[in-house]
Amino acid sequence: MISLPFDVEIALRYVRGGGHRSRDKFISFISGLSMAGIGLGVAALIVVLSVMNGFQKEVRDRMLSVIAHIEVLAPQEGFDNPEALIGAIKTANPKVVGAAPYVAGESMLAHGDLLRPAIVRGIDPVQEQEVSDFKEVISGSLSNLQAGEFRVVLGIELAKQIGVSVGDRITLIAPSGQMTPAGMIPRLKAFEITALVSTGHYEYDSGLVLMNIDDAARFYRSLGPTGIRVKLNDMDAAPFVARDIERQLPPTVWVRDWSVQNRTWFAAVQTEKRMMFIILTLIIAVAAFNLVSMLVMTVKDKRGEIAILRTLGASPFAIQRIFMLQGALVGWIGTFLGVTAGWLLAINLGTIVPAIERALSVEFLPKSIYFISQLPSDPRASDVVTIVTVALILSVLSTIYPSWRASRAEPAEALRYE
């Protein structure tokens, strides 16, 4: 058998407990509570952060089905040679997998007595398939957006707000009017609805209008595309690829990536995640306080054994090391159990939550209220490493004072009452 140092053997014996006295059993019970508290806190942190990561990923993916990974914005008059720019963009970085021109503008959408603001995007139906996922969520086909036909695709929520469907006609009002001898009059154009699109993101579904790029250029009187949408094979590399593209293009061109375009939203999500981490860490802190109480009780109960060890030649630091090891082992075991339980819960949340909903006949995320009706989960190793580190540090810190008090015990004073 492997011979362990005496302080490690004693610490292990104290962790196992198993004494016959009622006080030993009570200390073992407090030790188990501390272990369970740390495990519960660690598991709760892993599950909650995994759910928050899942929601962030789900919203981001739905958002990126509408916006581009990178956008190259033209000067006010538009690009006069978009094909050359698209060629330069595709060769700027190997992560670029597609690029498509577009014309963007804002308009008022009218139908009957109803008016709604709309974000209009003129696209090339063929090239757009390289950079967007509209083909996966559209009720119809982008190929119906032929130049000169003046057809549009509406976001499904926008269509519901104004009470239209496929085949109806709507009127778009351009923001800039037309000067006539009678004065400034608005520019109006009627369009036929050829399809509806549902991205799962309310902001876009309630205001997005797609049309052919040539029709949009004619409607807004643009000399060419007002921007180029770029898709990457790794969206997390967008900030770096954007700089590579910017170096290949004229200085009058503005390049922005998706993280800049939605910086406020992502900053808010990160702030919520940090605050949730801090709040749930308090569960581990409370368990650490239980650990302090358990060690203080153990030190008081083992005064006689401490005195005997001191008389046999054990140094104060060796005594301190025994109780530090005892508390650290309780914390480490609790952390390991919490990581195991939390990780298993996080990766199986998609199965566990529907089973609970069926068993209780409830719906946690009603489809009529939330556009994400399932509880997503995205456990990440980086979060687990941070949680484990915090739990282990709190466990070790909680052992310092009780173990220091144990090392200061006087053998003669302790043995007087034994």
Side-chain angles (χ1 to χ4, degrees), residues 250-291:
T252 56
V253 175
W254 182 30
V255 181
R256 67 181 182 184
D257 63 88
W258 63 271
S259 63
V260 173
Q261 191 173 351
N262 300 275
R263 179 178 297 171
T264 303
W265 184 85
F266 286 106
V269 171
Q270 287 301 115
T271 301
E272 292 176 3
K273 187 177 176 181
R274 281 194 293 268
M275 293 306 299
M276 191 62 67
F277 180 88
I278 293 172
I279 292 171
L280 292 178
T281 302
L282 295 178
I283 300 177
I284 304 177
V286 170
F289 278 116
N290 287 338
L291 201 57

Side-chain angles (χ1 to χ4, degrees), residues 241-352:
V241 178
R243 288 196 290 267
D244 291 340
I245 292 175
E246 196 169 21
R247 284 192 288 266
Q248 301 292 327
L249 302 180
T252 56
V253 175
W254 182 30
V255 181
R256 67 181 182 184
D257 63 88
W258 63 271
S259 63
V260 173
Q261 191 173 351
N262 300 275
R263 179 178 297 171
T264 303
W265 184 85
F266 286 106
V269 171
Q270 287 301 115
T271 301
E272 292 176 3
K273 187 177 176 181
R274 281 194 293 268
M275 293 306 299
M276 191 62 67
F277 180 88
I278 293 172
I279 292 171
L280 292 178
T281 302
L282 295 178
I283 300 177
I284 304 177
V286 170
F289 278 116
N290 287 338
L291 201 57
V292 173
S293 302
M294 181 270 294
L295 286 175
V296 169
M297 294 175 62
T298 304
V299 169
K300 294 185 67 128
D301 187 60
K302 305 298 183 183
R303 285 179 302 177
E305 296 182 19
I306 294 172
I308 293 172
L309 289 172
R310 288 294 308 277
T311 57
L312 292 175
S315 65
F317 180 67
I319 301 299
Q320 183 176 2
R321 199 161 57 236
I322 290 172
F323 293 98
M324 287 191 70
L325 283 171
Q326 180 190 359
L329 284 171
V330 171
W332 294 345
I333 294 171
T335 301
F336 172 77
L337 295 176
V339 168
T340 304
W343 189 265
L344 290 175
L345 278 173
I347 62 178
N348 293 293
L349 210 58
T351 304
I352 295 172

Side-chain angles (χ1 to χ4, degrees), residues 378-401:
D378 181 24
R380 298 177 183 174
S382 57
D383 289 338
V384 175
V385 170
T386 303
I387 294 168
V388 169
T389 302
V390 170
L392 294 182
I393 289 174
L394 288 176
S395 300
V396 173
L397 289 178
S398 64
T399 66
I400 293 177
Y401 175 74

Side-chain angles (χ1 to χ4, degrees), residues 221-233:
R221 296 182 176 178
S222 173
L223 299 179
T226 59
I228 296 173
R229 288 158 49 84
V230 182
K231 184 176 182 179
L232 311 178
N233 57 14

Side-chain angles (χ1 to χ4, degrees), residues 10-217:
I10 295 175
L12 288 172
R13 183 163 61 86
Y14 286 170
V15 170
R16 289 193 301 267
H20 296 290
R21 295 183 304 167
S22 59
R23 188 171 180 84
D24 289 335
K25 294 178 181 178
F26 181 71
I27 293 175
S28 297
F29 175 71
I30 297 297
S31 176
L33 283 182
S34 303
M35 194 181 298
I38 292 174
L40 178 63
V42 170
L45 262 175
I46 292 174
V47 172
V48 170
L49 293 185
S50 297
V51 170
M52 294 188 72
N53 291 336
F55 273 110
Q56 182 180 5
K57 182 177 182 296
E58 189 74 19
V59 173
R60 182 189 64 189
D61 290 346
R62 296 191 182 196
M63 191 182 296
L64 290 175
S65 70
V66 182
I67 65 174
H69 293 168
I70 296 175
E71 285 187 344
V72 180
L73 304 179
Q76 189 172 2
E77 63 274 9
F79 292 126
D80 56 358
N81 189 8
E83 291 78 12
L85 283 173
I86 290 175
I89 290 169
K90 289 183 175 180
T91 58
N93 192 290
K95 292 184 180 294
V96 176
V97 295
Y102 69 91
V103 172
E106 297 181 357
S107 295
M108 291 299 295
L109 188 151
H111 179 72
D113 297 333
L114 297 175
L115 284 175
R116 291 291 185 274
I119 302 171
V120 179
R121 184 187 301 164
I123 62 173
D124 184 314
V126 177
Q127 291 180 293
E128 185 68 18
Q129 297 182 23
E130 297 182 11
V131 298
S132 72
D133 296 325
F134 285 133
K135 62 180 182 298
E136 298 179 1
V137 293
I138 201 166
S139 60
S141 174
L142 290 178
S143 60
N144 293 330
L145 299 178
Q146 296 298 322
E149 298 290 337
F150 293 102
R151 295 172 177 170
V152 293
V153 175
L154 259 60
I156 191 166
E157 294 297 331
L158 179 59
K160 290 178 181 178
Q161 290 174 9
I162 61 176
V164 295
S165 59
V166 175
D168 293 338
R169 299 185 71 84
I170 51 96
T171 301
L172 288 179
I173 306 172
S176 58
Q178 182 176 358
M179 182 61 69
T180 67
M184 183 71 71
I185 61 173
R187 289 189 293 112
L188 311 176
K189 182 63 182 176
F191 292 84
E192 179 188 354
I193 302 173
T194 186
L196 303 178
V197 64
S198 174
T199 65
H201 199 286
Y202 183 81
E203 180 182 353
Y204 298 106
D205 288 344
S206 62
L208 184 64
V209 176
L210 300 176
M211 66 174 66
N212 187 277
I213 189 171
D214 294 334
D215 294 345

